[in-house]
Amino acid sequence: MSDSAQPKIYLKSPQLFELAKFSSDLAEVLDRFEVACVRLALGADDEETLSRSGDVIRDVCHQRDVAMVIDQHFRLAEKLGFDGVHLTDGSRQVRIARKALGRDAIVGAFCGTSRHDGMTAGEIGADYVSLGPLTVTDALGDGSMAEADLFRWWSEMIEVPVVAEGGLTAPAIGEIGQYVDFLCLGDEIWSAHDGPVAALEGVLRQL
């Protein structure tokens, strides 16, 4: 990614949400901003809950031609009409998910702070690699943080698009914005006291 390019916005759902409220908030955000992808990232694992929530997200995103992926459950992606999967366990299932979903599906992988796992995921078929978190307050990963130098190195050495995910505070975004292809925003906007639209406007001002 060139230093002059602005990262695209990638949205992650809350782990738990009320369907009507979230669909309204999501529609408002998508109508106001250019968003590259929306990810269903529920804490629940049962197919009924995932399908019900997936139907809501799919309808909102389809109406606005926005890509959709689901956390981990790649065998549900096609059934739900999603565009692919975001794997939360690094490179382990990239080959399996790619085989199951086909060449045209989106397969992304969260690789924490590991350069090696990120490179492996890219080499075996991931369309993007997600790295993070950027602050110690986020629960992602094993407690380690992704420093700005990691993203700088990736942008200089690796062609696979990189996503910054987790703990995207204003200072962190200011540090890594020029080195990443996507900013993955979840609770940073959905839990904001002034609402997701105002929160996302604040994020974009950091770029």
mmCIF file of all heavy atoms in Angstrom, residues 70-88:
data_model
loop_
_atom_site.group_PDB
_atom_site.id
_atom_site.type_symbol
_atom_site.label_atom_id
_atom_site.label_comp_id
_atom_site.label_asym_id
_atom_site.label_seq_id
_atom_site.Cartn_x
_atom_site.Cartn_y
_atom_site.Cartn_z
ATOM 1 N N ILE A 70 -18.367 -14.064 7.168
ATOM 2 C CA ILE A 70 -18.768 -14.549 8.487
ATOM 3 C C ILE A 70 -17.534 -15.055 9.225
ATOM 4 O O ILE A 70 -16.627 -15.631 8.621
ATOM 5 C CB ILE A 70 -19.829 -15.673 8.357
ATOM 6 C CG1 ILE A 70 -20.362 -16.077 9.733
ATOM 7 C CG2 ILE A 70 -19.279 -16.878 7.590
ATOM 8 C CD1 ILE A 70 -21.568 -17.016 9.660
ATOM 9 N N ASP A 71 -17.506 -14.832 10.523
ATOM 10 C CA ASP A 71 -16.416 -15.363 11.342
ATOM 11 C C ASP A 71 -16.441 -16.884 11.347
ATOM 12 O O ASP A 71 -17.465 -17.498 11.702
ATOM 13 C CB ASP A 71 -16.569 -14.882 12.799
ATOM 14 C CG ASP A 71 -15.642 -13.745 13.145
ATOM 15 O OD1 ASP A 71 -14.968 -13.219 12.253
ATOM 16 O OD2 ASP A 71 -15.614 -13.361 14.334
ATOM 17 N N GLN A 72 -15.364 -17.499 10.947
ATOM 18 C CA GLN A 72 -15.029 -18.898 11.205
ATOM 19 C C GLN A 72 -15.934 -19.934 10.524
ATOM 20 O O GLN A 72 -15.459 -20.963 10.076
ATOM 21 C CB GLN A 72 -15.043 -19.157 12.720
ATOM 22 C CG GLN A 72 -14.220 -20.320 13.165
ATOM 23 C CD GLN A 72 -12.711 -20.138 12.913
ATOM 24 O OE1 GLN A 72 -12.234 -19.050 12.599
ATOM 25 N NE2 GLN A 72 -11.957 -21.217 13.027
ATOM 26 N N HIS A 73 -17.243 -19.707 10.451
ATOM 27 C CA HIS A 73 -18.194 -20.726 9.996
ATOM 28 C C HIS A 73 -18.272 -20.757 8.477
ATOM 29 O O HIS A 73 -19.297 -20.438 7.873
ATOM 30 C CB HIS A 73 -19.570 -20.454 10.604
ATOM 31 C CG HIS A 73 -19.597 -20.506 12.095
ATOM 32 N ND1 HIS A 73 -19.739 -21.685 12.798
ATOM 33 C CD2 HIS A 73 -19.454 -19.527 13.020
ATOM 34 C CE1 HIS A 73 -19.706 -21.433 14.102
ATOM 35 N NE2 HIS A 73 -19.532 -20.132 14.262
ATOM 36 N N PHE A 74 -17.172 -21.185 7.840
ATOM 37 C CA PHE A 74 -17.134 -21.110 6.383
ATOM 38 C C PHE A 74 -18.144 -22.048 5.728
ATOM 39 O O PHE A 74 -18.580 -21.797 4.604
ATOM 40 C CB PHE A 74 -15.718 -21.401 5.854
ATOM 41 C CG PHE A 74 -15.156 -22.745 6.207
ATOM 42 C CD1 PHE A 74 -15.405 -23.844 5.406
ATOM 43 C CD2 PHE A 74 -14.339 -22.899 7.318
ATOM 44 C CE1 PHE A 74 -14.869 -25.080 5.719
ATOM 45 C CE2 PHE A 74 -13.792 -24.135 7.628
ATOM 46 C CZ PHE A 74 -14.070 -25.234 6.834
ATOM 47 N N ARG A 75 -18.571 -23.085 6.431
ATOM 48 C CA ARG A 75 -19.548 -23.990 5.840
ATOM 49 C C ARG A 75 -20.942 -23.370 5.793
ATOM 50 O O ARG A 75 -21.826 -23.886 5.105
ATOM 51 C CB ARG A 75 -19.563 -25.322 6.593
ATOM 52 C CG ARG A 75 -18.201 -26.001 6.583
ATOM 53 C CD ARG A 75 -18.235 -27.421 7.095
ATOM 54 N NE ARG A 75 -16.878 -27.935 7.301
ATOM 55 C CZ ARG A 75 -16.094 -28.375 6.340
ATOM 56 N NH1 ARG A 75 -16.514 -28.360 5.092
ATOM 57 N NH2 ARG A 75 -14.873 -28.828 6.619
ATOM 58 N N LEU A 76 -21.153 -22.274 6.517
ATOM 59 C CA LEU A 76 -22.430 -21.561 6.466
ATOM 60 C C LEU A 76 -22.415 -20.404 5.474
ATOM 61 O O LEU A 76 -23.473 -19.869 5.138
ATOM 62 C CB LEU A 76 -22.787 -21.003 7.852
ATOM 63 C CG LEU A 76 -23.343 -21.971 8.890
ATOM 64 C CD1 LEU A 76 -23.588 -21.226 10.200
ATOM 65 C CD2 LEU A 76 -24.635 -22.612 8.395
ATOM 66 N N ALA A 77 -21.249 -19.997 5.033
ATOM 67 C CA ALA A 77 -21.135 -18.782 4.211
ATOM 68 C C ALA A 77 -22.004 -18.853 2.960
ATOM 69 O O ALA A 77 -22.783 -17.933 2.664
ATOM 70 C CB ALA A 77 -19.673 -18.538 3.835
ATOM 71 N N GLU A 78 -21.875 -19.934 2.219
ATOM 72 C CA GLU A 78 -22.648 -20.053 0.980
ATOM 73 C C GLU A 78 -24.143 -20.169 1.275
ATOM 74 O O GLU A 78 -24.972 -19.555 0.599
ATOM 75 C CB GLU A 78 -22.174 -21.261 0.179
ATOM 76 C CG GLU A 78 -22.808 -21.358 -1.206
ATOM 77 C CD GLU A 78 -22.192 -22.461 -2.043
ATOM 78 O OE1 GLU A 78 -21.340 -23.224 -1.522
ATOM 79 O OE2 GLU A 78 -22.558 -22.566 -3.221
ATOM 80 N N LYS A 79 -24.485 -20.922 2.288
ATOM 81 C CA LYS A 79 -25.892 -21.099 2.661
ATOM 82 C C LYS A 79 -26.554 -19.776 3.008
ATOM 83 O O LYS A 79 -27.727 -19.529 2.676
ATOM 84 C CB LYS A 79 -25.992 -22.054 3.846
ATOM 85 C CG LYS A 79 -27.412 -22.299 4.336
ATOM 86 C CD LYS A 79 -27.430 -23.266 5.498
ATOM 87 C CE LYS A 79 -28.854 -23.486 5.995
ATOM 88 N NZ LYS A 79 -28.889 -24.436 7.146
ATOM 89 N N LEU A 80 -25.808 -18.906 3.671
ATOM 90 C CA LEU A 80 -26.348 -17.610 4.084
ATOM 91 C C LEU A 80 -26.248 -16.541 2.996
ATOM 92 O O LEU A 80 -26.717 -15.428 3.188
ATOM 93 C CB LEU A 80 -25.619 -17.122 5.342
ATOM 94 C CG LEU A 80 -25.810 -17.969 6.606
ATOM 95 C CD1 LEU A 80 -24.988 -17.396 7.754
ATOM 96 C CD2 LEU A 80 -27.282 -18.032 6.985
ATOM 97 N N GLY A 81 -25.631 -16.882 1.872
ATOM 98 C CA GLY A 81 -25.482 -15.904 0.808
ATOM 99 C C GLY A 81 -24.385 -14.899 1.059
ATOM 100 O O GLY A 81 -24.418 -13.787 0.518
ATOM 101 N N PHE A 82 -23.390 -15.285 1.871
ATOM 102 C CA PHE A 82 -22.262 -14.405 2.160
ATOM 103 C C PHE A 82 -21.173 -14.591 1.098
ATOM 104 O O PHE A 82 -21.179 -15.552 0.337
ATOM 105 C CB PHE A 82 -21.703 -14.699 3.548
ATOM 106 C CG PHE A 82 -22.444 -14.016 4.668
ATOM 107 C CD1 PHE A 82 -23.809 -13.795 4.604
ATOM 108 C CD2 PHE A 82 -21.765 -13.592 5.794
ATOM 109 C CE1 PHE A 82 -24.484 -13.174 5.633
ATOM 110 C CE2 PHE A 82 -22.429 -12.952 6.839
ATOM 111 C CZ PHE A 82 -23.799 -12.744 6.754
ATOM 112 N N ASP A 83 -20.245 -13.650 1.083
ATOM 113 C CA ASP A 83 -19.186 -13.677 0.072
ATOM 114 C C ASP A 83 -17.956 -14.457 0.512
ATOM 115 O O ASP A 83 -17.056 -14.687 -0.290
ATOM 116 C CB ASP A 83 -18.767 -12.247 -0.279
ATOM 117 C CG ASP A 83 -19.926 -11.464 -0.876
ATOM 118 O OD1 ASP A 83 -20.314 -11.773 -2.010
ATOM 119 O OD2 ASP A 83 -20.455 -10.578 -0.186
ATOM 120 N N GLY A 84 -17.903 -14.859 1.775
ATOM 121 C CA GLY A 84 -16.747 -15.605 2.231
ATOM 122 C C GLY A 84 -16.666 -15.687 3.737
ATOM 123 O O GLY A 84 -17.660 -15.522 4.447
ATOM 124 N N VAL A 85 -15.451 -15.922 4.233
ATOM 125 C CA VAL A 85 -15.238 -16.198 5.645
ATOM 126 C C VAL A 85 -14.021 -15.447 6.163
ATOM 127 O O VAL A 85 -13.069 -15.175 5.419
ATOM 128 C CB VAL A 85 -15.042 -17.724 5.859
ATOM 129 C CG1 VAL A 85 -13.752 -18.202 5.197
ATOM 130 C CG2 VAL A 85 -15.047 -18.107 7.334
ATOM 131 N N HIS A 86 -14.078 -15.113 7.452
ATOM 132 C CA HIS A 86 -12.926 -14.563 8.166
ATOM 133 C C HIS A 86 -12.534 -15.604 9.199
ATOM 134 O O HIS A 86 -13.296 -15.903 10.127
ATOM 135 C CB HIS A 86 -13.291 -13.248 8.856
ATOM 136 C CG HIS A 86 -12.215 -12.712 9.740
ATOM 137 N ND1 HIS A 86 -11.199 -11.905 9.270
ATOM 138 C CD2 HIS A 86 -11.981 -12.873 11.070
ATOM 139 C CE1 HIS A 86 -10.397 -11.588 10.266
ATOM 140 N NE2 HIS A 86 -10.853 -12.162 11.371
ATOM 141 N N LEU A 87 -11.357 -16.186 9.040
ATOM 142 C CA LEU A 87 -10.880 -17.222 9.951
ATOM 143 C C LEU A 87 -10.162 -16.580 11.130
ATOM 144 O O LEU A 87 -9.282 -15.741 10.953
ATOM 145 C CB LEU A 87 -9.944 -18.178 9.212
ATOM 146 C CG LEU A 87 -10.580 -18.886 8.008
ATOM 147 C CD1 LEU A 87 -9.520 -19.626 7.203
ATOM 148 C CD2 LEU A 87 -11.679 -19.843 8.464
ATOM 149 N N THR A 88 -10.530 -16.990 12.332
ATOM 150 C CA THR A 88 -9.991 -16.351 13.532
ATOM 151 C C THR A 88 -8.798 -17.093 14.119
ATOM 152 O O THR A 88 -8.250 -16.671 15.138
ATOM 153 C CB THR A 88 -11.091 -16.240 14.601
ATOM 154 O OG1 THR A 88 -11.593 -17.551 14.903
ATOM 155 C CG2 THR A 88 -12.241 -15.375 14.101
#
